[in-house]
């Protein structure tokens, strides 16, 4: 019942914060989020799950599975539970939300109870997404995330907040629709009556898929895979469906950016891992080259875009596109280091991008600008923030003993040993991202932090408050802890992804020439 | 296992403690963290000496597992461990000694000069010592890569120590990016080696074999458990060796990745001495030596190493001839000298390469610290043309600097003579069999002349003649804390060559090649004999037979060239008022002064090309991709008027929008589910 408790803490807390006057909201919401951290850390320490949540032999931690209602032919269950993939993501969500709330104390000055209430609502929904194992329950939380996020960007955002919020909302909602269609295609093909993900996975692993409409079984799988992939790809995001991200980040208030980059993007990669790569691994293997091409393009193209930016937030936003490309690469590699490294990268990137957004936020609160050209020599007046930004930048560059290095090294090792064609060459190309990332972060640091002190905007540079600094310190400690002792979470991650790697044993090795033909015929089938 | 080696991890751990102390408590301490650093590196030095003697008495390498980063059953775990053998014990001694002396010297150079930000300085220096010592002790390539990157971070932080100025942060950035470019290849190499062999251990322990041993087996017969990804093993191992070499060339500043090192002189001079001369730059060369059992298997890689090394030695030496700043001369000299070490290792001269690494660490640290003393005396002016006549005012600096210069120029009996002679001799012996190595040897030999010339041009301009400025007439004096390290290193620069006097041994028949014998012991697969076996039996690399005549001829030739260089410098610059003879070189001087325009094309690659590609990508992204997205949405969902209506900010509109979205989804679900 602990997952329900965690969600209840957030949702009831949100209601409480909504109802009370503004002046209580910052401290109350922070207190509630700390309670959530405590619960999630207790769950982390008491975690007794084993194996993968969806696959045979998986033992879920904190599981509840109760019949809820029947809808048409389908039985819906309240089914929640955690395995080694979702557990760390839940801890990440609670910690980042709490730090984001703390970092909002300085910049958020109006409609506070609504802001902090929405933050807690967001947290509760995110926990639901990572905890749910029934599609219906999962989908409710998945959509519920959009609502607070939409308002947080649209009400407290920058000058173009309306545009960014609507773009975010429409883009991701259309994506949800596509994904939804894909999922139901698969459900009908598999012929299950339960919307539980483990049941569907079992059915797909053991039974055969029947044809739906004019689609052959193979076409059903391929169409479902790509519809779901398209839906999740928007959330990740990968090139070319990434353009909502920089707009959303630039307009969102910094605490919201922290959650957006730190946790929301992981919804996409988590869903890819759970749905596409666990339910349809053979389709993923068939189309490995297409997927890895998307990953490589995301890495390099995202990094090049980051290089061209002048707004610090846009730099971090585009670099996220690049980093998420590594997650996709790891997933496609589909071996222990690929899948494990991808999952580890989700956590690691959450911490590191959170740290960098927080640094940008502190700088913005003080200088009221984020443009690289508007400032220089900040290290002179803001030594601690500058130090944290140096730490965050080097973490992003994959400095050893920080979490990013371990994550990237595992992904690269996985990619290098993968079985898709030209795995070594494609991985090596993706690895060039580590050079470009050094380019843009070092460039940004040199321009903003070093040199003689100058700020174009006319504000007095004041010392940052302890509540601004504390989140930075916490994140740096966590990044170094995970970088020097990855086993803190990698043990459970490994436990959960290992059963997935065994799925490949039954895969057929059809590669290359059949891909294009298959895509064409599938599209043809859908059109008919 | 003997007692002292149990304490080996402390050699690296002590500087880490001083890093933490300096970082968090430095500002409350009397010398701002210097004392913690001195104590820690002093302790490390004592432990390193102890370790050295333990290894000497023991012979067997000491391995120890420290920490498992990632533990998996398949395909390989990521582990940290230490390996203490003849090579790492020697390197530990070098690094701890120079670190300790640099910390002491910094008391004079930084504290006494009233610098601010000292806790940051000492924290950075301590973190560097920790990282470098950990790199040296690394028992596997993965761990070596980790600390290879961390020393790069320390280098970045210390080059950019004076961050309020414009040039140091820029130089720091350049250093990191250029070395990162090399490390990109290194990282592929590490990943590739792990994927190929399932291990990156330098030495086999407890039934598992090291990756060089597995590679050797693969070439000599049984290629079990080695995945070469469809390549012929020999080809694949060469590719891996060259990938790792990318990192080596970046760190050890080999052409064309040498451009960061002269810029790195923007850092404080003690940092230049420690990091950018004696130790971190040596990391690349050390790595080749550390995995020599792997490089020895690839004749192609060896030839490339030798050729790049020989070329770099000559190329950098010519640029050193025209520089005006004392640290710039030393920087190009450093690049050139590391070229010699690469030449030696490429030419199969394992002992010669490590020997030159050792002597160079001593005499180049000495020269940099001497230059630091001169810079303090000159009130932080580095231009040699403003100096002159300093030898009477600064006798301690002059005589120690002279000892270092004689060593660098390779004048008998100073240390540099013995090691450089052995490098060239090894290259010559191979060159007589193979024209590629002959070309590399020839470049190294010509560079000897330039080395003698630029070294003594520097000495004469700085210390001889008449003072050319008021400051040079009455330079600033400094204390024991700067003189003591100079005296220690000055004495060592004279004598350290005595550890391997091969020509004298040949001539007298006495047993004087101590360093050679040192490397005959240790792990079975880490000895110089084994490397020789690999070179001759597996790679088919053969030196011509060593003979007294050849050895003495080679030595006399290089000594003669060095003396000729010194003599030319003497004629041109050892006069009361020297002129800028470099102007006579005409356009050649311009080319040399601009470093063969190496910086220009690299800056163009980084800023001209890449930045423009990035801008083009950004325009494409904003215009085409995002344009398409906006186009689709404005046509279908929110045409003209309606967009504005949606954006009115009325909450009910949003709620309606959300509801509509969910309804659409539910209807779709219903249709697909067949409820209707």
């Amino acid at each position: 019942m602990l997952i329900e408790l965690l969600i209840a803490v957030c949702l009831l807390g949100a209601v409480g914060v909504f109802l009370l006057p503004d002046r209580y909201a910052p401290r109350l919401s922070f207190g509630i989020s700390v309670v959530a951290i405590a619960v999630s850390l207790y769950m982390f320490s008491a975690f007794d799950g084993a194996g993968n949540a969806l696959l045979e032999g998986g033992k879920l931690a904190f599981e509840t599975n109760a019949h809820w209602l029947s809808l048409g032919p389908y039985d819906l269950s309240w089914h929640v539970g955690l395995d080694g993939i979702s557990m760390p993501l839940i801890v990440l969500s609670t910690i980042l939300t709490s730090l984001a709330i703390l970092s909002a104390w300085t910049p958020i000055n109006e409609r506070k109870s609504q802001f902090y209430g929405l933050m807690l609502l967001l947290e509760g929904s995110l926990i639901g997404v990572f905890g749910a194992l029934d599609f219906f329950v999962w989908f409710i939380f998945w959509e519920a995330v959009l609502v607070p996020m939409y308002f947080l960007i649209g009400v407290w955002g920058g000058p173009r907040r309306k545009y960014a919020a609507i773009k975010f909302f429409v883009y991701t909602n259309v994506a949800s629709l596509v994904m939804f269609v894909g999922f139901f295609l698969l459900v009908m093909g598999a012929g299950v009556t339960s919307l539980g993900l483990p049941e569907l996975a079992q059915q797909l692993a053991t039974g055969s898929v029947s044809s739906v409409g004019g689609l052959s079984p193979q076409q059903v799988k391929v169409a479902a895979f790509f519809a779901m992939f398209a839906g999740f790809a928007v959330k990740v995001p990968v090139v070319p469906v990434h353009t909502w991200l920089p707009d959303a980040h630039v307009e969102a208030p910094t605490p919201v950016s922290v959650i957006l980059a730190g946790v929301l993007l992981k919804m996409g990669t988590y869903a890819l891992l759970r749905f596409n790569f666990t339910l349809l691994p053979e389709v993923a293997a068939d189309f490995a080259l297409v997927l890895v091409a998307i990953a490589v393009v995301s890495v390099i193209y995202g990094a090049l875009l980051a290089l061209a930016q002048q707004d610090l937030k846009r730099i971090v936003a585009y670099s996220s596109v690049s980093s998420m490309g590594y997650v996709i690469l790891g997933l496609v590699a589909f071996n222990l280091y690929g899948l494990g490294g991808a999952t580890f990268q989700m956590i690691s990137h959450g911490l590191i991008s959170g740290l960098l957004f927080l640094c940008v936020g502190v700088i913005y609160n003080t200088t009221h600008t984020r443009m690289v050209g508007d400032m220089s020599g900040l290290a002179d007046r803001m030594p601690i923030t500058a130090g944290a930004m140096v730490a965050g930048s080097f973490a992003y560059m994959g400095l050893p003993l920080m979490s990013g290095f371990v994550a990237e090294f595992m992904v690269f090792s996985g990619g290098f040993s993968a079985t898709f064609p030209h795995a070594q060459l494609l991985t090596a190309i993706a690895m060039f991202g580590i050079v470009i990332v050094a380019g843009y972060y070092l460039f940004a640091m040199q321009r903003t932090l070093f040199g003689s002190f100058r700020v174009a905007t006319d504000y007095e540079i004041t010392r940052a408050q302890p509540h601004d600094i504390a989140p930075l310190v916490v994140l740096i400690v966590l990044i170094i802890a995970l970088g020097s002792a990855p086993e803190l979470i990698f043990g459970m991650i490994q436990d959960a992804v290992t059963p997935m790697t065994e799925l490949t044993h039954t895969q057929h090795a059809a590669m290359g020439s059949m891909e294009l033909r298959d895509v064409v015929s599938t599209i043809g089938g859908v059109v008919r | 296992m003997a007692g002292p080696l149990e304490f080996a991890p402390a050699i690296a751990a002590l500087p880490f403690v001083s890093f933490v102390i300096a970082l968090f408590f430095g500002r409350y301490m009397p010398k701002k963290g210097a004392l913690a650093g001195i104590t820690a590196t002093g302790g490390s030095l004592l432990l390193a000496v102890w370790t050295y003697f333990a290894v000497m008495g023991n012979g067997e390498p000491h391995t120890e597992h420290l920490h498992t980063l990632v533990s998996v059953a398949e395909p390989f775990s990521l582990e940290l461990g230490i390996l203490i053998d003849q090579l790492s014990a020697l390197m530990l001694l070098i690094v701890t000694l120079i670190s300790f002396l640099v910390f002491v010297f910094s008391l004079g150079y930084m504290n006494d000069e009233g610098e601010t930000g000292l806790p940051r300085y000492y924290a950075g220096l301590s973190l560097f010592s920790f990282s470098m010592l950990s790199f040296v002790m690394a028992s596997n390539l993965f761990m070596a890569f980790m600390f290879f990157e961390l020393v790069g971070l320390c280098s970045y932080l210390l080059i950019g120590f004076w961050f309020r100025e414009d040039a140091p942060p820029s130089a720091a950035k350049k250093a990191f990016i250029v070395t990162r470019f090399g490390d990109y290849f290194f990282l592929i190499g590490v990943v590739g080696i792990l994927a190929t062999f399932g291990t990156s251990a330098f030495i086999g322990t407890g039934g598992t074999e090291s990756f060089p041993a597995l590679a050797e087996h693969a070439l000599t017969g049984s290629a079990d458990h080695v995945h070469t990804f469809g390549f012929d093993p020999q080809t694949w191992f060469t590719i891996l060796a060259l990938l790792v070499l990318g990192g080596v060339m970046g760190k050890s500043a080999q052409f064309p990745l040498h451009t960061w090192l002269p810029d790195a002189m923007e850092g404080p001079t003690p940092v230049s001495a420690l990091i950018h001369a004696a130790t971190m730059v040596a990391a690349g060369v050390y790595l080749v030596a550390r995995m020599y059992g792997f490089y020895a298997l690839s004749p192609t890689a060896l030839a490339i190493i030798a050729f790049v090394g020989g070329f770099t030695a000559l190329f950098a030496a010519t640029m050193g001839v025209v520089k005006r700043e004392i640290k710039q001369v030393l920087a190009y000299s450093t690049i050139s000298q590391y070229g010699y070490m690469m030449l030696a290792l490429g030419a199969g001269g394992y002992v010669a390469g490590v020997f030159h690494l050792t002597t160079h660490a001593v005499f180049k640290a000495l020269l940099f610290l001497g230059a630091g003393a001169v810079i303090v005396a000159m009130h932080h002016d580095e231009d040699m043309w403003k100096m002159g006549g300093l030898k009477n005012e600064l006798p301690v600096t002059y005589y120690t600097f002279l000892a270092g210069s004689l060593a660098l120029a390779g004048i008998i009996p100073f240390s540099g003579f013995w090691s450089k002679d052995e490098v060239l001799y090894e290259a010559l012996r191979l060159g007589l069999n193979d024209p590629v190595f002959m070309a590399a040897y020839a470049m190294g030999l010509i560079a000897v002349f330039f080395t003698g010339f630029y070294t003594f041009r520097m000495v004469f301009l700085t210390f001889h003649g008449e003072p050319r400025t008021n400051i040079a007439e009455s330079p600033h004096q400094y204390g024991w804390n700067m003189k003591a390290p100079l005296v220690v290193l000055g004495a060592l620069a004279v004598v350290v060559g005595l550890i391997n006097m091969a020509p004298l041994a040949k001539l007298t028949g006495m047993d004087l090649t101590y360093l050679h014998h040192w490397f005959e012991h240790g792990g079975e697969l880490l000895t110089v004999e084994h490397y020789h076996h690999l070179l001759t039996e597996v790679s088919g690399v053969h030196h011509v037979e060593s003979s007294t005549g050849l050895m003495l001829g080679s030595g006399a030739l290089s000594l003669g060239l060095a003396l000729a260089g010194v003599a030319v410098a003497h004629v041109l610059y050892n006069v009361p008022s020297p002129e800028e003879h470099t102007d006579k070189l005409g356009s050649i001087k311009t080319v040399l002064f601009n470093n063969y325009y190496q910086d220009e094309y690299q800056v163009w690659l980084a800023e001209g090309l890449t930045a423009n590609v990035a801008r083009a990508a950004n325009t494409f992204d904003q215009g085409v991709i995002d344009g398409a997205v906006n186009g689709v949405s404005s046509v279908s969902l929110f045409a003209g008027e309606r967009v504005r209506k949606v954006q009115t900010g009325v909450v009910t509109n949003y709620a309606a929008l959300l509801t509509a979205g969910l309804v659409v989804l539910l209807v779709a679900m219903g249709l697909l589910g067949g409820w209707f």
Side-chain angles (χ1 to χ4, degrees):
Chain A
M1 295 303 285
L2 283 169
I3 300 173
E4 289 86 343
L5 174 68
L6 199 52
I7 296 173
V9 166
C10 297
L11 297 187
L12 294 176
V15 172
V17 172
F18 270 128
L19 296 176
L20 286 168
D22 273 359
R23 65 177 183 278
Y24 300 118
R27 283 168 198 281
L28 180 63
S29 60
F30 179 65
I32 291 162
S33 70
V34 170
V35 172
I37 292 183
V39 174
S40 72
L41 285 180
Y42 170 75
M43 290 164 73
F44 185 75
S45 65
F47 178 79
D48 61 348
N52 187 292
L54 268 55
L55 299 175
E56 210 175 338
K59 177 184 173 303
L60 290 163
F62 319 112
E63 186 181 14
T64 314
N65 192 356
H67 184 261
W68 189 9
L69 60 132
S70 295
L71 199 61
Y74 297 112
D75 288 325
L76 308 181
S77 307
W78 174 264
H79 190 187
V80 292
L82 302 180
D83 68 357
I85 297 169
S86 41
M87 185 70 244
L89 284 164
I90 288 202
V91 177
L92 175 76
S93 308
T94 59
I95 291 178
L96 275 186
T97 308
S98 196
L99 299 180
I101 286 175
L102 207 52
S103 76
W105 285 11
T106 302
I108 302 299
N109 292 314
E110 52 184 15
R111 305 169 86 169
K112 286 186 192 170
S113 52
Q114 294 173 20
F115 179 88
Y116 291 103
L118 286 169
M119 290 292 276
L120 290 175
L121 190 60
L122 186 60
E123 181 179 6
S125 313
L126 287 167
I127 291 164
V129 168
F130 295 129
L133 288 169
D134 181 274
F135 178 78
F136 193 75
V137 176
W138 177 85
F139 189 71
I140 289 173
F141 285 119
W142 175 268
E143 288 293 302
V145 166
L146 299 183
V147 181
M149 194 42 110
Y150 172 77
F151 287 110
L152 285 168
I153 297 173
V155 176
W156 288 271
R160 295 174 72 227
R161 56 183 178 270
K162 295 285 153 53
Y163 169 76
I166 290 176
K167 190 172 183 179
F168 163 78
F169 188 82
V170 173
Y171 217 137
T172 50
N173 229 346
V174 169
S176 293
L177 184 65
V178 175
M179 175 271 290
F180 191 92
V181 170
F183 184 80
F184 265 85
L185 195 58
L186 193 61
V187 166
M188 286 186 284
V192 288
T193 57
S194 160
L195 291 186
L197 296 178
E199 288 81 357
L200 182 59
Q202 303 282 330
Q203 176 64 26
L204 287 168
T206 54
S208 61
V209 172
S210 60
S211 54
V212 176
L215 295 174
S216 72
Q218 177 64 15
Q219 286 172 338
V220 167
K221 285 184 177 180
V222 172
F225 184 91
F226 278 95
M228 291 195 291
F229 185 83
F232 298 137
V234 169
K235 204 73 155 205
V236 172
V238 299
V239 177
V241 287
H242 62 283
T243 56
W244 63 270
L245 182 76
D247 285 323
H249 269 306
V250 167
E251 300 307 325
T254 309
V256 177
S257 286
V258 172
I259 305 293
L260 185 58
V263 193
L264 239 71
L265 307 189
K266 280 68 196 180
M267 287 167 63
T269 48
Y270 170 79
L272 278 176
L273 176 59
R274 274 282 191 256
F275 288 72
N276 289 58
F277 287 88
T278 310
L279 297 178
L280 296 166
E282 69 281 7
V283 183
D286 284 350
F287 292 93
L289 270 186
V290 176
L291 301 174
V292 85
I294 291 171
V296 172
V297 169
S298 292
V299 168
I300 301 297
Y301 182 74
L304 282 173
L305 290 176
L307 199 59
Q309 305 307 317
Q310 294 296 318
D311 183 329
L312 287 173
K313 261 192 167 180
R314 285 186 96 89
I315 294 177
V316 189
Y318 279 116
S319 70
S320 295
V321 176
S322 190
S323 295
M324 290 298 101
Y326 289 140
V327 176
I328 309 286
L329 174 64
L331 294 180
V332 181
F334 216 80
N335 44 34
L336 177 54
Y337 271 148
L339 294 167
T343 311
F344 198 85
Q345 168 83 336
M346 292 185 209
I347 306 295
S348 164
H349 178 264
L351 299 173
I352 297 171
S353 65
L355 173 60
L356 280 173
F357 273 121
L358 286 172
C359 290
V360 176
V362 175
I363 290 173
Y364 183 76
N365 295 343
T366 314
T367 63
H368 296 263
T369 178
R370 291 188 310 260
M371 304 309 287
V372 170
D374 283 352
M375 50 190 148
S376 71
L378 292 183
D380 186 51
R381 307 292 166 91
M382 311 173 71
I384 298 177
T385 311
M389 186 142 165
V390 172
S393 301
F394 275 96
Y396 221 115
M397 289 179 226
L399 190 77
L401 298 183
M402 297 175 110
S403 58
F405 171 74
V406 184
E408 286 173 12
F409 194 89
M410 288 196 279
V411 167
F412 298 152
S413 293
F416 205 86
S417 302
T419 50
F420 54 81
H422 311 298
Q424 294 78 37
L425 185 63
L426 288 164
T427 305
I429 294 171
M431 284 165 78
F432 197 71
I434 70 161
V435 179
I436 312 179
V437 71
Y440 56 79
Y441 276 123
L442 291 174
F443 181 77
M445 283 197 291
Q446 185 204 340
R447 293 280 301 277
T448 57
L449 302 181
F450 308 133
S452 53
F453 174 75
R454 180 185 66 83
V455 173
T457 51
D458 202 15
Y459 289 90
E460 196 187 342
I461 304 297
T462 49
R463 284 191 79 82
Q465 302 287 317
H467 60 77
D468 292 323
I469 298 301
L472 309 179
V473 176
V474 171
L475 285 176
I476 292 173
V477 168
L478 286 173
I479 290 165
I480 293 175
L482 283 188
S484 37
E487 287 286 316
L488 284 174
I489 60 168
F490 192 74
M492 60 173 71
I493 292 175
Q494 182 187 348
D495 193 39
V497 298
T498 305
M500 291 180 67
T501 61
E502 282 149 18
L503 292 172
T504 47
H505 293 172
T506 55
Q507 280 169 13
H508 57 96
M511 294 278 189
S513 62
M514 70 163 286
E515 291 167 12
L516 194 61
R517 197 188 65 218
D518 233 49
V519 175
V520 171
S521 66
T522 306
I523 293 169
V526 171
V527 170
R528 269 201 313 280
Chain B
M1 201 51 70
L5 296 174
E6 300 294 328
F7 291 98
I11 297 174
L14 283 173
F16 186 78
V17 173
S18 90
F19 157 69
V20 174
I21 292 174
L23 187 65
F24 293 108
F25 311 108
R27 74 181 105 152
Y28 309 114
M29 295 168 72
K31 291 287 180 188
K32 309 293 177 199
L35 298 180
I38 291 171
T39 313
T41 47
S44 296
L45 175 59
L46 291 177
L47 283 173
V49 172
W50 198 15
T51 303
Y52 189 86
F53 284 109
V55 169
M56 183 186 277
N58 194 301
E60 275 300 299
H62 170 73
T63 57
E64 191 177 330
H65 174 81
L66 287 183
H67 175 57
T68 302
L69 219 48
V70 175
S71 161
V72 299
E74 282 285 319
F76 46 78
S77 295
L78 303 177
E79 294 181 342
L80 307 184
I82 61 172
L83 162 59
I84 306 287
D85 71 337
Q86 270 62 16
L87 179 64
S88 52
L90 175 65
M91 193 71 183
L92 287 176
L93 202 55
I94 297 169
V95 175
T96 52
L97 174 69
I98 312 278
S99 290
F100 175 68
L101 293 175
V102 162
F103 266 100
V104 174
F105 189 86
S106 296
L107 277 177
Y109 195 87
M110 303 298 284
N111 293 55
D112 294 354
E113 294 290 290
E115 294 289 345
T116 55
L118 287 174
R120 184 162 49 90
Y121 174 80
Y122 286 113
L125 221 48
S126 299
L127 184 64
F128 171 77
S129 299
F130 158 70
S131 310
M132 185 72 204
L133 292 166
S134 303
F135 166 77
V136 169
M137 284 193 277
S139 68
N140 62 68
L141 190 63
F142 169 75
M143 176 177 172
F145 178 82
M146 287 180 61
F147 288 100
F148 203 73
E149 289 288 282
L150 279 171
V151 291
L153 166 76
C154 301
S155 166
Y156 172 84
L157 296 175
L158 288 166
I159 294 171
F161 175 71
W162 287 304
F163 67 85
R164 291 174 184 85
E165 296 161 29
D166 286 333
S170 173
K173 178 188 70 174
K174 180 173 174 183
F176 197 87
I177 292 183
V178 173
T179 50
R180 180 46 84 107
F181 185 74
D183 290 349
Y184 161 65
F185 298 100
F186 185 9
L187 180 59
I188 302 175
V190 177
V191 168
I193 282 173
L194 277 166
T196 304
F197 302 107
T199 175
S200 69
F202 293 132
I203 185 171
T205 46
T208 61
E209 293 206 76
S210 66
F211 75 88
L214 288 169
E216 184 194 344
H217 297 326
L219 290 180
T220 53
S222 59
D224 295 346
H225 311 300
V226 173
H227 310 284
T228 56
F229 300 99
F231 287 92
D232 162 55
Q234 179 73 58
T235 314
W236 181 241
F237 296 160
T238 300
I239 291 172
L240 289 175
L242 293 177
L243 285 168
V244 174
L245 190 65
V248 170
M249 287 167 65
K251 270 296 189 278
S252 287
Q254 297 296 293
F255 176 85
L257 300 182
H258 64 280
T259 48
W260 63 273
L261 189 70
D263 288 33
M265 296 300 127
E266 290 291 341
T269 308
V271 169
S272 310
L274 176 61
I275 300 187
H276 305 117
T279 59
M280 185 191 82
V281 190
V285 171
Y286 177 81
L287 188 66
V288 176
R290 180 73 284 172
M291 47 189 277
Y292 204 66
F294 191 65
Y295 277 103
L297 298 173
S298 169
T300 316
L302 287 174
I304 289 172
I305 292 173
F307 196 82
V308 167
F311 180 75
T312 307
L314 177 59
F315 185 72
T318 58
M319 291 186 277
V321 167
V322 300
K323 297 296 167 195
R324 299 178 66 95
E325 285 93 10
I326 188 166
K327 280 179 79 178
Q328 288 294 308
V329 177
L330 290 175
Y332 282 98
S333 157
T334 302
I335 298 172
S336 172
Q337 295 300 309
Y338 279 99
Y340 279 114
M341 294 170 214
M342 296 287 276
L343 172 61
L345 291 172
Y350 175 75
V351 176
V354 178
F355 185 26
H356 198 54
L357 195 164
T358 310
T359 60
H360 176 263
V362 170
F363 68 70
K364 192 51 71 66
L366 167 63
L367 287 171
F368 265 107
L369 292 184
V374 167
I375 289 166
V376 166
M378 292 296 298
H379 297 270
H380 294 272
D381 195 332
E382 299 182 16
D383 190 342
M384 295 190 295
W385 288 100
K386 295 185 181 157
M387 298 176 187
L390 289 174
K391 80 175 167 177
N392 298 326
E393 296 292 329
L394 309 170
V396 174
T397 312
Y398 173 64
Y399 287 106
T400 51
F401 198 87
L402 189 62
S405 299
L406 287 164
L408 170 59
I411 308 298
I412 196 164
F414 292 86
S415 55
F417 167 77
W418 304 104
S419 54
K420 194 182 294 180
D421 179 62
E422 194 165 340
V423 169
L424 290 170
Y425 182 60
E426 293 288 341
L428 175 64
R429 277 173 64 206
L430 203 49
L432 290 173
N433 276 340
D434 188 332
V436 174
F437 289 98
M438 196 56 169
Y441 165 75
M443 290 188 289
L445 189 65
I446 298 166
V448 170
F449 170 79
F450 286 106
T451 309
F453 177 74
Y454 72 66
T455 307
F456 276 84
R457 173 178 174 267
M458 172 176 70
V459 172
F460 294 139
L461 281 179
T462 308
F463 291 101
H464 288 231
E466 299 292 331
R468 284 182 291 277
T469 55
N470 291 337
I471 300 173
E473 260 175 54
S474 55
H476 181 70
Q477 293 293 339
Y478 41 82
W480 65 270
N481 45 28
M482 290 169 71
K483 286 175 188 158
L486 289 176
V487 171
V488 172
L489 287 171
L492 279 174
V494 180
V495 300
V496 75
L498 306 183
I499 58 175
N500 208 41
M501 294 178 290
L504 207 59
K506 201 81 174 174
L507 200 61
T508 60
M510 287 192 292
D511 194 6
L512 295 171
T513 55
Y514 304 113
L515 192 66
H516 198 96
H517 296 313
W518 175 249
F519 286 115
E520 284 170 358
H521 301 286
E524 191 189 343
L525 300 178
L526 298 173
T527 59
V528 64
E529 284 102 337
H530 181 68
Y531 296 150
H532 185 73
H533 163 80
L534 294 179
L535 286 170
T536 51
E537 303 303 319
V538 183
S539 294
V541 173
H542 293 284
H543 293 84
V544 297
E545 202 54 44
S546 179
S547 69
T548 313
L550 192 61
M551 183 176 265
L552 293 182
S554 164
L557 187 58
S558 62
L559 183 61
L561 277 170
L563 286 171
V566 176
V568 174
H570 173 74
V571 170
L572 292 178
Y573 293 104
N574 194 13
V575 292
S577 309
E579 298 164 40
E580 297 201 36
H581 294 285
T582 46
D583 289 341
K584 291 175 193 153
L585 293 169
S587 60
I588 299 173
K589 183 208 165 189
T590 316
V591 172
L592 292 176
F593 216 82
N594 288 296
N595 311 325
Y596 297 97
Y597 301 101
Q598 290 290 304
D599 292 285
E600 275 72 6
Y601 89 80
Q602 290 185 2
V603 168
W604 179 80
L605 276 179
E607 286 176 9
L609 181 69
T610 314
N612 277 324
V613 169
R615 265 193 291 277
N618 195 38
T619 310
F620 173 78
D621 202 58
Q622 297 292 315
V624 179
I625 298 188
D626 202 34
V629 170
N630 287 333
V632 168
S633 63
S634 64
V635 169
S636 60
L637 286 168
F638 305 106
E641 287 296 302
R642 261 178 262 168
V643 177
R644 238 167 281 143
K645 209 183 271 176
V646 169
Q647 291 181 351
T648 48
V650 182
V651 177
T652 46
N653 274 3
Y654 303 131
L657 196 69
L658 288 165
T659 320
L662 284 171
V663 166
V664 167
L665 286 170
L666 281 173
V667 168
M669 187 172 168
L671 282 174
L672 289 164
W675 302 336
F676 301 119

